[in-house]
Amino acid sequence: QVQLVESGGGSVQSGGSLRLSCAASGYRYNRYYAMGWFRQAPGKEREGVAGIDGNGRGSSADSVKGRFTISRDNAKNTLYLQMNSLKPEDTAMYYCAADPRPASYWSLWSLLQGSNYNYWGQGTQVTVSS
């Protein structure tokens, strides 16, 4: 129904940058879907990193504010996460997620809750070394 494919992960030194991409496809997907980035480090719970609703309103976790920026290119059906000033604690598997509920459903808080999303990608690994 909806397929999500992440790319752009890799290994970088502390202070470096990466840009993650998430390509969405499928007959059900449209530009009004809410989309989000989540991450999970070994032994830790999944954490909401950033989310954006169908109207382009974004939200981000306090731990990444000022360093990470979420954006979307609706013409390309692609979600991005620009990550700057990376730290070793940003090391994790990063997942893209999508949900069809309209912008009126979402709050800044709910955009960061993984339980609200119906579709998930397979993830891309980000490793930051000190």
Side-chain angles (χ1 to χ4, degrees):
Q1 295 180 347
V2 175
Q3 292 80 43
L4 303 173
V5 179
E6 303 96 334
S7 62
S11 296
V12 64
Q13 289 194 324
S14 181
S17 299
L18 284 172
R19 187 176 80 156
L20 305 184
S21 300
C22 172
S25 62
Y27 75 94
R28 286 189 180 273
Y29 180 79
N30 64 62
R31 61 183 291 173
Y32 298 108
Y33 271 45
M35 299 190 77
W37 287 102
F38 295 81
R39 67 186 181 187
Q40 188 166 21
K44 293 189 176 182
E45 291 189 357
R46 184 178 62 195
E47 174 189 18
V49 177
I52 186 167
D53 69 18
N55 286 343
R57 181 181 57 160
S59 179
S60 59
D62 288 344
S63 58
V64 305
K65 272 189 170 68
R67 300 188 299 123
F68 292 10
T69 302
I70 189 170
S71 63
R72 64 194 302 169
D73 184 336
N74 290 327
K76 296 181 178 179
N77 288 348
T78 301
L79 178 74
Y80 300 102
L81 185 69
Q82 178 66 44
M83 304 187 296
N84 298 328
S85 302
L86 282 160
K87 305 174 181 179
E89 51 263 45
D90 295 318
T91 295
M93 185 71 79
Y94 282 70
Y95 298 92
C96 171
D99 188 90
R101 279 174 281 202
S104 58
Y105 170 85
W106 300 93
S107 67
L108 296 182
W109 177 84
S110 65
L111 281 168
L112 302 180
Q113 307 308 307
S115 58
N116 287 325
Y117 290 81
N118 271 313
Y119 302 104
W120 291 83
Q122 294 299 306
T124 186
Q125 178 68 37
V126 172
T127 303
V128 185
S129 58
S130 57

